[in-house]
Amino acid sequence: MRALSLLLSGLLVLTAAVAGVLALPTPSRAAANPVCALACDTLDPSRAQRETFPVADRTPGGRLLRLHVSDPDGMAWASIDRGAKGDAVWLDRSWDRGATWEGLLGRASVPAARTGTRTLMYNITDPVGHRRGWIRACGDAAGVTCTDWVYPTVCDGTRCDGGDPAGAPSDERPVPSTTLFGRTISLHVDQRGATAWGVIENGGPGDEIWLDRSWDEGAGWPEGSSLGRTQVPEGAGSTRTAVFATRDPRGLLYGGAVRACGREAGHQEGSCTAWARPAPSRARAAADALMASYHVNEGWWRSSWWNSAVALTAVVDFSRRTGDHEYDWAVARTFEQNRGVFPAGGRSSDPIEGHFISRAVDDAGWWAIAWLDAYDLTHERRYLDEAVTIASYLHTFWDTGTCGGGIYWNRERTYKNAVTNGLYLWITAALHQRLPGDTLWGSRASTAADWYLGSGLIDSSSLVNDGLTDACANNGQTVWSYNQGLAIGAFTQMWRSTGEARYLSTARRLADAALSSSRLTREGVLTEVCDTGTSTCDDNQKQFKGVFVRHLADLADATRSPAYRSYLRTQADSIWTADRDPLNRLGQRWAGGTPNTPGGTNVQDWRTQASALEALTAADGL
């Protein structure tokens, strides 16, 4: 050991991004902060879904040092073979393009009577933490040697870092240029290709231009600083960077933000444009921004249980209507990570008792819709079976002893309202269509439809109020868009299920009322009461409008109505022009207003993003 220490102390430390002989970092067998994505650090390599060798092996002293990568898992491990007792192998992982790294991850030594060993598996990137990583295999066999870093270049399909802007199909400037000492610094993007580059003009020799790339909307950019840094050559006044990708699907990092930065040769200070994201299409841009908030390790959008079901439905609708299957993995991930049991506070304020069921009956209903939508997308029977399980739970709350029927909102059976009964009607009608030879769910759907129509939930203006009083009368409470939308969708499903014209006529009557009433539509734009004045919508209300447009789009498909199609296009156009920031974040107020900031009246978060995505998807799919 003394001889080894003396040897290591004399080794030359080379540039961090170049594999070779390196000083041994402080010993550590695991990451200080283990990363969890599709799996957590230290997964056994025997569980890898695939094994590839994307970088060249090293052969120090005749040993075989190899980096193994499983792209479906997003993980890597290292091995050393043809070695001797005491030889060691580990991984290095860097979050700043090899400038620094976590060393000795999974360090393992070759035991006696063996000639090789391997590490455990570690995540290459950290999508939950919005960090893009590099990883390499290192070994100690009388000297420390490392392979090259894997995946130093971001690729989005065939578009990779380092391309020539001259070959970009389009050139747009999504944010204003900035100036510095008379120089103009501008950000350029190819929207459809989701790539970007920077340009400096009106300058002189030695001036510099580069890109910063961030995976957390500009909060930090250690991996993406000074990309493509280029100097203006002698005799010229301008130059540009290479092209860089803004999405890293391999690392499950979507919607990366970029900005252009520059420096005048005679000064140290620089100046940067605002951050922006390209928009390959309106719906794709919205989906990218939504998926950036998805917690890959837990398989949901953290902090809201039913809202996550609706957000997943928005993603599935995006895939079904556009044919873009980029996010299909998230459907399975959400199902597998959340169908179990969770204590109160784990996913909801209520315990989740398995199969997405809790005391909140309507919460379970939203998950049934999500899994029926997932079944339509994937044709995997497990999703249909899950929807049947949830629907069976909902049916236990059907009660003819109060108000002649209908299901209760919660397990305490305190309230019969529009949302829960709209969900139940939609689900039962949808199950009847998807279960060959079914009579059970079809009968239940017919009973629920007749009850809904006679319940009093629909007022004299054909608008759906929130629920019923204890005396089983319309309670006159707020007309929310999601209640109206669920009723439209449910009766559209009943028409699809039975062919009875009265159901389609009801859906149209409800839709026409929504489009013409100032309680839901103002100046042509869908508007909640909390979208007006100084009001703000709570976390539930933020997602209501997306539910409405989803079901109106279904009715538009059924009727081919020009009026409904025009309305859907108006929503999407208003969102895109008045309710979007340069990072493609979409706010609560589709008519626009106060900027989409947490402190503004027109707030933005993943709930508002999912809601607006439904509108963009519906319009783009017409």
Side-chain angles (χ1 to χ4, degrees), residues 487-538:
I488 292 168
F491 285 106
T492 302
Q493 287 295 316
M494 283 301 298
W495 171 76
R496 293 186 188 280
S497 180
T498 66
E500 293 187 30
R502 67 186 179 115
Y503 294 132
L504 191 62
S505 177
T506 298
R508 298 190 73 148
R509 174 167 59 89
L510 294 170
D512 293 344
L515 272 57
S516 61
S517 173
S518 61
R519 285 193 278 178
L520 286 176
T521 300
R522 301 190 182 193
E523 298 182 359
V525 179
L526 187 62
T527 305
E528 305 284 4
V529 295
C530 55
D531 288 340
T532 61
T534 58
S535 299
T536 55
C537 298
D538 65 25

Side-chain angles (χ1 to χ4, degrees), residues 192-381:
R192 188 162 295 278
T195 57
W197 62 98
V199 175
I200 187 167
E201 300 171 287
N202 306 319
D207 291 349
E208 293 183 317
I209 181 73
W210 65 90
L211 284 183
D212 287 342
R213 179 170 57 198
S214 173
W215 302 108
D216 58 4
E217 300 180 333
W221 52 100
E223 182 271 337
S225 179
S226 299
L227 298 178
R229 184 181 286 263
T230 304
Q231 287 190 348
V232 175
E234 290 293 333
S238 66
T239 192
R240 60 193 179 188
T241 70
V243 167
F244 288 86
T246 62
R247 304 171 73 256
D248 181 16
R250 179 188 283 122
L252 304 182
L253 293 163
Y254 302 100
V258 288
R259 67 180 181 182
C261 301
R263 186 183 70 84
E264 189 266 338
H267 297 81
Q268 289 300 313
E269 63 266 34
S271 182
C272 298
T273 67
W275 293 97
R277 284 171 170 158
S281 70
R282 298 191 307 187
R284 173 71 171 272
D288 279 345
L290 174 61
M291 287 304 299
S293 297
Y294 181 79
H295 281 257
V296 175
N297 57 328
E298 297 173 354
W300 71 316
W301 287 266
R302 184 180 287 176
S303 82
S304 290
W305 181 239
W306 83 268
N307 300 78
S308 283
V310 179
L312 182 66
T313 303
V315 172
V316 174
D317 283 345
F318 167 79
S319 297
R320 287 197 302 107
R321 284 187 169 267
T322 65
D324 187 329
H325 295 282
E326 181 87 43
Y327 312 115
D328 286 5
W329 62 270
V331 179
R333 182 68 177 172
T334 305
F335 183 80
E336 291 158 1
Q337 295 297 106
N338 292 281
R339 60 180 168 176
V341 175
F342 298 90
R347 287 293 187 270
S348 169
S349 57
D350 298 318
I352 306 302
E353 300 160 2
H355 297 288
F356 305 89
I357 288 170
S358 68
R359 61 169 286 279
V361 179
D362 59 331
D363 284 8
W366 293 112
W367 283 105
I369 286 183
W371 300 129
L372 282 167
D373 209 24
Y375 173 72
D376 290 344
L377 174 69
T378 67
H379 306 295
E380 292 186 33
R381 180 71 190 210

Side-chain angles (χ1 to χ4, degrees), residues 556-610:
D557 290 342
T559 62
R560 318 305 292 176
S561 165
Y564 301 153
R565 290 180 169 189
S566 175
Y567 185 87
L568 291 167
R569 291 191 185 98
T570 296
Q571 308 317 301
D573 291 345
S574 184
I575 290 167
W576 197 250
T577 58
D579 190 32
R580 177 177 66 102
D581 71 10
L583 294 172
N584 301 322
R585 295 177 298 193
L586 309 171
Q588 166 63 35
R589 298 190 177 197
W590 292 0
T594 304
N596 301 342
T597 58
T601 304
N602 189 20
V603 296
Q604 184 279 332
D605 63 14
W606 64 262
R607 301 166 189 82
T608 67
Q609 193 75 24

Side-chain angles (χ1 to χ4, degrees), residues 54 89 135 339 366 410 434 510:
V89 64
I135 211 162
R339 60 180 168 176
W366 293 112
N410 57 19
R434 290 158 178 79
L510 294 170

Side-chain angles (χ1 to χ4, degrees), residues 21 35 45 64 66 92-93 101 124 139 272 290 360 362 424 446-447 455 465 533 536 614:
V21 180
V35 173
L64 176 64
R66 174 170 287 174
D92 287 343
R93 182 169 59 193
W101 59 89
I124 301 173
C272 298
L290 174 61
D362 59 331
Y424 179 76
S446 294
T447 300
S455 67
N465 292 98
T536 55
E614 286 281 19

